[in-house]
Amino acid sequence: MTTFLIAASLTLAICLTLEVFVGDSLTRASLAPRDLTLRLLGYLLILLFWFAFSWRPWLAALTCVVSVVALIYVSRAKRSVIGEPLLFSDFVLLPQVPRHPQLYYIPPVWDPRISIPVILTLIATVIWYRTEPSVLPAAPVPRVAAMLGLPLALWLLFRAASRPPLAKLMARWFPEPDLEADVARVGLPASLLGYTARALAGSAPVPAVPTLPSGPGDDVVVVIQLESFIDPERLGGPALPAMELFRTRAIQYGRLRVPAHGAYTMRSEHAVLTGRPSDSLGFGRYDPYTSRSGDEPTSLARLAGSRGYETLFLHPFHRDFFRRAKVMQAFGFADLLMGETFTAAPRVGPYVGDVALGERLLDEVRARRTPLFLFCVTMENHGPWKPGRLPGLDAPEAQYLHHVVNTGRMVENLVAGLDALARERGQTITLCVFGDHAPSLPTCKPGFGDQATDYAVFRFGIPPVTPRRLDITADALGRDLRSALARTLADIPVRTR
């Protein structure tokens, strides 16, 4: 026990020093008594977690320090790309890294930068494990009791943290999501654990189902989430013909304030599909798909289904990514066409090209009965943009601009195709396109353009209207789109000359 106390005291002191002087905090670390207690408690829980595996105090102490150093390093790296510190929800995404390593800036496990340190760490751990004696009791009964008791106690503590009465205490310590302030206040480990408990408690209220107008909706409503899309002129790139369509053919267009930069597509996706602002999600705002798993009464797909629409989700990537298949089914999509249906589709770089995806979308609209609500997520311009992705183009900005030209061509083709289809069938069709987040490029740092992408809403089969620029948030766009499911032509202002 004495050895453990000495090792624990030294570990807590080292971890505290690391976070105070080199931790990932934008402001000075708080050393107020309660904040310091929570900070030390976070370190202690990590120490006990590792101690339960080895029952060797100094090995657990070293592992705890290495864990805190790793958290700080990863958090700082993440902040440089995305603009925010490490989150509890990031750990939910860890299983995706070995499945889809090309989507991350982390090298694959066989890369020497990863494999060599991992192998050396394993060798050193085995040597240390065989060298340092265990502090487990020698007697069989106390030994088994200790080996089972500590893991069980940690598991029960984890379970209890999101349930009364401990949940009330967690709510006092972390009353509202304020990530930057909480990292500075209690440190990364404690904020990660505290936010996990608060998210699991599910404190955010569930909104009521909105009442839609009684009028009929458009025959076809198509909403397309464009991967990493912003007007390339904002990055110093060439003018995109599709942006001229935004300004001259859309009934509404502008900048779209989104809840993420460079990643976390699910935040913007959730906001548009549900019309819910981030502050209505509580601690689930950081990854809405893990908080309610798509069980959203305000989902556009559910609203469309309740009004007799066929609902289709179209995405040319693996159905397990972000658990999208399960989430989209919970959102109310009756039909899902995902990666397995695009095996023969043309690729631009590693992913299905946007132009080919647009052609498939038009084919689906032509072949299906109406009314139809279709939500599509593109993939071609997904980062990271690394050397070797495109022949002759190694610079990230050049690769991005090459892809975004294809995105623009897809939008042009869809505007022409849906307009022709509306005229041919005498139907009304809504098309909405929006960028999920700005790209994480060297020339597009976190916070770029007030964290806004670009969007446009087109309607076909109606009298011409004067395009209106309106800068809005992603959730406001989602609420605006509800009207496409229930409105009449009288709702549309007619342009006069």
Side-chain angles (χ1 to χ4, degrees):
M1 178 61 72
T2 302
T3 304
F4 176 80
L5 292 176
I6 294 173
S9 300
L10 183 59
T11 300
L12 299 188
I14 293 173
C15 291
L16 176 62
T17 302
L18 286 169
E19 279 223 283
V20 168
F21 291 102
V22 297
D24 184 32
S25 173
L26 296 180
T27 58
R28 191 169 184 174
S30 171
L31 296 178
R34 189 180 75 168
D35 296 341
L36 181 59
T37 300
L38 289 173
R39 187 184 292 268
L40 295 177
L41 181 59
Y43 307 146
L44 180 60
L45 289 173
I46 294 177
L47 176 66
L48 290 174
F49 173 81
W50 290 120
F51 184 63
F53 284 96
S54 69
W55 291 90
R56 287 156 173 79
W58 293 109
L59 178 58
L62 176 63
T63 312
C64 178
V65 171
V66 170
S67 298
V68 172
V69 170
L71 289 175
I72 293 172
Y73 173 79
V74 173
S75 186
R76 291 169 73 96
K78 179 192 169 188
R79 184 188 292 281
S80 68
V81 176
I82 299 175
E84 64 184 34
L86 195 63
L87 281 161
F88 69 95
S89 54
D90 293 325
F91 292 89
V92 178
L93 303 178
L94 278 179
Q96 296 182 165
V97 177
R99 294 179 200 164
H100 312 289
Q102 77 278 9
L103 295 175
Y104 297 90
Y105 289 91
I106 303 172
V109 292
W110 55 84
D111 188 288
R113 292 170 293 174
I114 298 295
S115 59
I116 291 176
V118 168
I119 292 172
L120 292 176
T121 300
L122 290 175
I123 292 173
T125 301
V126 170
I127 294 173
W128 196 314
Y129 189 90
R130 294 177 65 87
T131 303
E132 182 183 358
S134 168
V135 296
L136 277 170
V141 174
R143 187 182 186 89
V144 173
M147 292 178 65
L148 296 179
L150 180 56
L152 179 61
L154 291 174
W155 182 79
L156 290 175
L157 180 63
F158 173 77
R159 296 279 294 176
S162 59
R163 294 169 172 78
L166 188 54
K168 292 184 178 180
L169 187 59
M170 299 300 298
R172 287 177 54 192
W173 291 343
F174 302 95
E176 297 292 338
D178 193 351
L179 186 59
E180 296 290 357
D182 285 330
V183 169
R185 183 170 63 90
V186 300
L188 267 173
S191 63
L192 287 169
L193 295 170
Y195 275 46
T196 300
R198 293 289 282 129
L200 290 175
S203 56
V206 179
V209 178
T211 301
L212 297 181
S214 58
D218 287 345
D219 297 287
V220 178
V221 179
V222 176
V223 182
I224 307 177
Q225 181 172 274
L226 305 175
E227 175 61 45
S228 301
F229 178 80
I230 61 173
D231 180 356
E233 286 192 274
R234 296 170 61 189
L235 297 175
L240 203 63
M243 297 307 301
E244 184 63 20
L245 286 179
F246 280 28
R247 293 183 284 267
T248 60
R249 293 287 305 276
I251 62 170
Q252 184 174 303
Y253 71 97
R255 298 285 167 81
L256 188 71
R257 182 72 180 270
V258 294
H261 173 89
Y264 294 120
T265 295
M266 78 289 283
R267 297 182 188 174
S268 303
E269 194 167 280
H270 184 275
V272 172
L273 277 172
T274 66
R276 296 185 63 180
S278 295
D279 57 12
S280 73
L281 304 175
F283 286 82
R285 70 176 60 185
Y286 301 108
D287 186 351
Y289 287 177
T290 60
S291 60
R292 290 187 53 79
S293 300
D295 183 15
E296 296 287 357
T298 62
S299 160
L300 286 172
R302 283 197 189 181
L303 297 177
S306 70
R307 298 184 69 87
Y309 280 75
E310 183 177 354
T311 53
L312 170 63
F313 176 71
L314 191 64
H315 179 47
F317 199 61
H318 300 279
R319 60 178 49 238
D320 68 333
F321 193 63
F322 289 159
R323 296 170 42 249
R324 263 208 181 100
K326 291 184 178 179
V327 171
M328 290 302 157
Q329 287 172 338
F331 267 134
F333 288 97
D335 197 2
L336 280 65
L337 296 181
M338 304 188 73
E340 65 276 8
T341 63
F342 288 87
T343 53
R347 278 163 167 71
V348 182
Y351 309 116
V352 172
D354 284 351
V355 173
L357 178 62
E359 292 173 355
R360 176 61 182 271
L361 188 154
L362 282 173
D363 289 341
E364 293 295 333
V365 173
R366 293 188 185 103
R368 291 174 180 266
R369 65 176 178 82
T370 58
L372 170 66
F373 174 73
L374 188 157
F375 187 81
C376 175
V377 178
T378 72
M379 194 67 194
E380 178 183 333
N381 213 357
H382 200 294
W385 300 271
K386 299 177 181 179
R389 175 177 177 137
L390 294 172
L393 292 177
D394 282 345
E397 292 86 354
Q399 292 182 358
Y400 173 82
L401 292 175
H402 178 88
H403 290 304
V404 85
V405 167
N406 292 334
T407 304
R409 285 176 55 205
M410 179 191 73
V411 173
E412 293 177 71
N413 294 344
L414 287 174
V415 168
L418 293 175
D419 187 22
L421 190 62
R423 295 174 186 274
E424 174 189 329
R425 295 181 174 179
Q427 295 178 337
T428 53
I429 299 177
T430 287
L431 168 66
C432 171
V433 296
F434 70 95
D436 58 352
H437 53 69
S440 54
L441 293 169
T443 54
C444 191
K445 296 295 185 182
F448 175 87
D450 199 27
Q451 203 163 289
T453 62
D454 293 272
Y455 83 99
V457 180
F458 301 87
R459 285 194 84 213
F460 311 108
I462 64 168
V465 301
T466 303
R468 176 179 67 155
R469 172 164 180 167
L470 184 63
D471 298 341
I472 57 176
T473 60
D475 57 282
L477 176 61
R479 292 190 296 274
D480 287 348
L481 287 171
R482 294 172 187 169
S483 63
L485 305 174
R487 64 178 165 192
T488 63
L489 290 178
D491 299 322
I492 305 302
V494 179
R495 177 170 56 188
T496 57
R497 295 183 182 273

